[in-house]
Amino acid sequence: MTSRRIVSPEKGVLEKDDVDFKPKDGEKSNIAPAVPAHVIYKLLGFTLAMIAGPIGTYFVTLNLLFGGNTTYAGALAAIMANVVLVGYIIVAFKEDQSDALEAAEKERKGK
């Protein structure tokens, strides 16, 4: 058996070129990043803290504080991971609140 190919004169979704991405006359294109740089820096800082904090805590406290007891050192490392995570959440909430306060202040000054 053979199969027939259906030839359509219409363009497919991928072939259509209806959208013009060029800015209109007198408009500037928006080249600002989608995420501000300070947010990326905070994320990178907390990522490094999430890696170095618990691992460093484990190895430092293993022999110095707990005398070779890996259970206590591991538990403290897990607690440190949770401390870093809670710290990131607190910083994120404060940043979100400060953005809302700035928007409210601009709106109040605009009236």
Side-chain angles (χ1 to χ4, degrees), residues 38-103:
H38 70 278
V39 173
I40 300 293
Y41 295 142
K42 284 180 191 175
L43 181 63
L44 288 175
F46 276 101
T47 300
L48 291 175
M50 189 60 133
I51 293 169
I55 293 173
T57 300
Y58 175 80
F59 286 111
V60 167
T61 61
L62 181 62
N63 291 322
L64 293 178
L65 189 61
F66 297 123
N69 190 339
T70 58
T71 303
Y72 292 146
L76 187 60
I79 290 170
M80 285 304 297
N82 286 309
V83 166
V84 171
L85 182 63
V86 169
Y88 180 73
I89 291 170
I90 290 171
V91 168
F93 274 127
K94 286 189 176 187
E95 181 179 339
D96 190 37
Q97 289 175 351
S98 67
D99 290 344
L101 290 174
E102 287 176 9

Side-chain angles (χ1 to χ4, degrees), residues 12-27:
V13 175
L14 298 176
E15 296 169 342
K16 291 184 180 180
D17 197 12
D18 297 338
V19 181
D20 186 18
F21 292 108
K22 295 177 185 174
K24 296 176 184 169
D25 292 335
E27 290 182 359

Side-chain angles (χ1 to χ4, degrees), residues 1-7:
M1 292 182 108
T2 61
S3 60
R4 281 195 306 176
R5 180 193 293 178
I6 300 173
V7 179

